Amino acid sequence: MISFLSQASDLFPYTRDLRRDFHRHPELGFQEHRSGGVISKELSKLEGIKVQSGIAETGLVGVMDGGKPGKTILLRFDMDALPVTENTGVEYASEKEGLMHACGHDGHMAIGLTAARLLNDSRQDLCGTIKFVFQPAEEGLGGAKAMIEEGILRDPVPDISLAMHLWNEKPLGWIGITDGPIMSASEAFKVKITGKGGHGGKPHEAVDPIVAAAGVINALQSVVSREVPPLDSGVITISSIHGGEAHNVIPEEVILLGTIRSFTEGTRTLLLERFQEIVEKTASAYLCRAEITIEHISPAVVNDPGIAGILRETAAGLFPEAVVDERYRTMVSEDMALMMQDTPGCYCLVGSANPKKGLDAKHHQPEFNFDEEALIWGSALLVSAVHKLLQN
Ligand SMILES: [Zn+2]
Ligand SMILES: [Zn+2]
């Protein structure tokens, strides 16, 4: 097979310049107009790719047919930045006050355009179709859902979906391609515990929702520790608690906010059912009422073992020195999960930190920056994997 590693290395100045241009001009979810414009311009230069823009506001899809018919692969790249004030000191730092590409999506767009160029140049050797999906609003705003609602999983329906994230939790040289779940399902909850307000000195005339909330919080701690099988994983985090204003007034209500995370459908159902039961029954044991609202943010990102195996093989072939980790999982979530729900696929993580160069701040931090060599790794891995998957 042609060495897409050397091709991606040759294209590195192109990739890096694009990444730095996106980095200078970060845009929040569904507002990626400038980024979308750059992507559209670059994709339009590739004669094999038909581009449709304005999907879910600022998203784009480029469709490219290979030399022969075959399967359809969807490649997804996210586009949005974060409301973070950059503190990296790099010369290509954000030019927009209070906004920053602090998750690496600038790199993802650059990798996407590089992969599109390399795949376009080699399209005669591909049997099948590639859908390049540039997705707005990954950071909790529902970009994947919006694009799916606008039909990106139809006509043609993808047979395989792939995505990657530059991963500063791990150094350059590490690649995470896990069989099964790699990122967790995520639900956001709000619990309103209502009692009866009254005088702080006369609790017997009131029904105290603060004590009930304390009981609920304590009772919830046993779900993960005592009910989730020890070899599986789950999280219930209460991240906010609000109730009362004065030292001598028992409030009417307490509001709790938090998140529930899981990797498997069984654990997810268990956590949700027990959460509801414990919150309602504990509140009622304290003579209070609990109202629960749960928002399903994202299912787990679950890799198809067959496709993950092909990607691991590709990675090991391209980068003989790399650590290819097949067990890594993280309790963060990703709306790529929605695109992978009905399509077998693989989501991989490409180590991008470099502590020796001081590039090891974590995602979403103002100091976040990655080793740009990871852009070559990401592009070469995706392009080679597509060629492997669309052989014959
Ligand atoms: Zn992020
Ligand atoms: Zn991200």
Side-chain angles (χ1 to χ4, degrees), residues 165-185:
H165 209 297
L166 296 168
W167 206 238
N168 254 35
E169 303 282 331
K170 294 284 181 180
L172 182 70
W174 176 96
I175 298 179
I177 307 174
T178 308
D179 286 345
I182 181 162
M183 286 186 174
S184 66

Side-chain angles (χ1 to χ4, degrees), residues 78 103 105 108 138-139 165 334 363-364:
D78 43 11
C103 199
H105 302 182
H108 299 170
E138 186 280 327
E139 298 285 2
H165 209 297
E334 226 304 350
H363 296 268
H364 295 204

Side-chain angles (χ1 to χ4, degrees), residues 258-325:
T259 183
I260 298 177
R261 306 277 166 127
S262 57
F263 286 123
T264 62
E265 200 44 46
T267 298
R268 180 171 171 267
T269 309
L270 170 80
L271 291 175
L272 288 171
E273 281 176 7
R274 292 294 291 144
F275 177 82
Q276 177 151 2
E277 208 171 353
I278 288 171
V279 170
E280 282 171 356
K281 289 187 174 162
T282 307
S284 108
Y286 285 91
L287 306 175
C288 289
R289 209 160 26 84
E291 240 174 88
I292 301 171
T293 323
I294 292 190
E295 194 192 339
H296 302 291
I297 306 287
S298 171
V301 178
V302 182
N303 286 343
D304 177 88
I307 298 169
I310 293 174
L311 263 87
R312 279 198 297 272
E313 227 179 270
T314 310
L318 274 174
F319 315 107
E321 311 282 286
V323 175
V324 182
D325 188 337

Side-chain angles (χ1 to χ4, degrees), residues 33-105:
H33 295 284
R34 185 189 178 279
S35 309
V38 172
I39 293 165
S40 168
K41 190 174 131 231
E42 289 304 311
L43 289 180
S44 305
K45 290 180 191 162
L46 308 173
E47 86 235 27
I49 300 184
K50 281 188 229 84
V51 188
Q52 198 191 338
S53 52
I55 305 176
E57 303 287 336
T58 48
L60 301 96
V61 175
V63 178
M64 188 192 95
D65 288 321
K68 287 186 205 159
K71 288 183 173 166
T72 297
I73 294 190
L74 179 151
L75 296 179
R76 180 281 220 156
F77 308 94
D78 43 11
M79 303 163 69
D80 53 332
L82 289 157
V84 169
T85 300
E86 179 156 356
N87 186 26
T88 59
V90 294
E91 51 92 13
Y92 52 90
S94 167
E95 292 173 8
K96 277 198 196 154
E97 179 88 30
L99 292 189
M100 177 188 177
H101 267 294
C103 199
H105 302 182

